[in-house]
Amino acid sequence: QAGYDYLIQGMGGLMSITGVPDGEPGAGPLRVGVAVGDLSSGLYATVGILAALNHRHVTGVGQYIDISLLDTMVAMLANQGQNYFVGGQVPRRTGAEHPNLAPYRSFGTRDGHLIIAVGNDSQFRALCGVLGIGELAEDERFRTNAARVKNRREIAQLIEAKTRERAMGELAAVLEAAGVPAGPINSFDQVFSDPQVQHRKLRFDLPHPLGGRVTGVRNPLLFSETPAEHTRPPPMLGEHTDEVLARVAGLDAGEISALRTRKVI
């Protein structure tokens, strides 16, 4: 069947757990904003190729790698798939909420939205201290993660009543100092102006043969001995045809010219 990422997100179950919960305004399944099925299949394929190459180095035997978009999408269900196997309950859309932890979601502030990711009870106590609601850490409804998950909506309302009074940057800094994981929901312009993104040099600019410059995002892998180099912009159509035919296929200039005359290339 046709392998389109949108279809795979639906068939593979991802869209069934992505979006606003049933019964709330805007409810319904949503596509993830990038082609995660396509991209993840490429990453899995790369891992498979490297594993097969290592096997060949050891044994001298090559092998065929079979990977599909649907297989990858189902494998990526991760903790949600395991929730289904263990509990027998079909996972549902939880919107901004984490299915297994609370409070673990985005909260409104005076000037944006901040993700607060409480992973354990000590972090919850620290969060309550920062927000000035320390008594909630001892409330039986919220004292443990299991209780907070059960009463997730109530605790979320109580927390957001406090976060709405604070500026996003200020609150994020205070939470970080207190050991509570938190971070902003950035737009693309904010992503590329983030000091850490700039420090890591994730954006690069190269001159383009048509004039001006072309901007891209570097390979996220940083190797100590064989660093990836971004020295050439995306090629023009057919720019490297002759080079590839000569270097890879071993054709000489006459043979390449004959192919071009016959409009093979």
Side-chain angles (χ1 to χ4, degrees):
Q1 296 179 358
Y4 293 106
D5 182 85
Y6 203 149
L7 298 176
I8 296 302
Q9 288 192 32
M11 294 174 64
L14 180 62
M15 288 178 60
S16 74
I17 54 174
T18 305
V20 178
D22 290 332
E24 296 187 10
L30 290 176
R31 177 185 65 86
V32 177
V34 296
V36 290
D38 288 346
L39 295 171
S40 299
S41 294
L43 291 172
Y44 269 105
T46 301
V47 172
I49 290 167
L50 294 174
L53 284 171
N54 192 54
H55 176 265
R56 187 200 65 183
H57 292 329
V58 173
T59 68
V61 178
Q63 58 188 300
Y64 177 79
I65 299 171
D66 181 354
I67 184 170
S68 79
L69 292 172
L70 182 59
D71 291 358
T72 299
M73 194 79 271
V74 173
M76 283 188 63
L77 295 179
N79 62 307
Q80 290 280 42
Q82 203 62 32
N83 286 344
Y84 170 66
F85 290 145
V86 171
Q89 299 294 315
V90 176
R92 303 295 183 185
R93 297 184 303 279
T94 57
E97 305 273 4
H98 190 287
N100 302 108
L101 297 168
Y104 201 111
R105 56 165 293 166
S106 61
F107 292 92
T109 67
R110 285 207 316 251
D111 55 352
H113 285 82
L114 183 73
I115 298 169
I116 299 176
V118 170
N120 55 54
D121 296 338
S122 63
Q123 290 176 352
F124 179 67
R125 288 192 294 272
L127 170 64
C128 290
V130 168
L131 297 178
I133 49 177
E135 67 279 2
L136 294 184
E138 301 306 322
D139 190 312
E140 287 299 318
R141 296 170 297 169
F142 314 125
R143 193 165 58 84
T144 66
N145 180 67
R148 291 192 298 274
V149 169
K150 183 178 179 180
N151 299 291
R152 64 168 73 241
R153 297 302 166 84
E154 187 173 358
I155 189 60
Q157 291 172 357
L158 292 169
I159 291 173
E160 189 156 76
K162 295 296 183 179
T163 62
R164 289 282 184 184
E165 301 172 353
R166 312 279 285 268
M168 181 174 63
E170 175 267 333
L171 180 56
V174 173
L175 289 173
E176 180 180 352
V180 180
I185 297 179
N186 285 330
S187 58
F188 276 51
D189 56 333
Q190 292 169 326
V191 169
F192 290 103
S193 63
D194 181 273
Q196 180 68 1
V197 172
Q198 293 182 349
H199 172 72
R200 298 287 289 178
K201 296 182 172 65
L202 280 160
R203 169 177 170 162
F204 67 85
D205 296 275
L206 293 171
H208 195 274
L210 292 181
R213 303 183 70 82
V214 61
T215 303
V217 177
R218 71 160 174 81
N219 190 313
L221 295 173
L222 295 178
F223 293 94
S224 61
E225 301 299 326
T226 57
E229 296 182 352
H230 301 280
T231 58
R232 298 195 293 185
M236 302 293 290
L237 179 62
E239 180 178 343
H240 300 117
T241 299
D242 289 12
E243 177 186 341
V244 170
L245 290 175
R247 179 169 51 86
V248 178
L251 302 183
D252 60 31
E255 291 171 316
I256 294 174
S257 177
L259 288 175
R260 186 162 280 114
T261 300
R262 294 162 51 198
K263 297 184 178 181
V264 174
I265 59 173

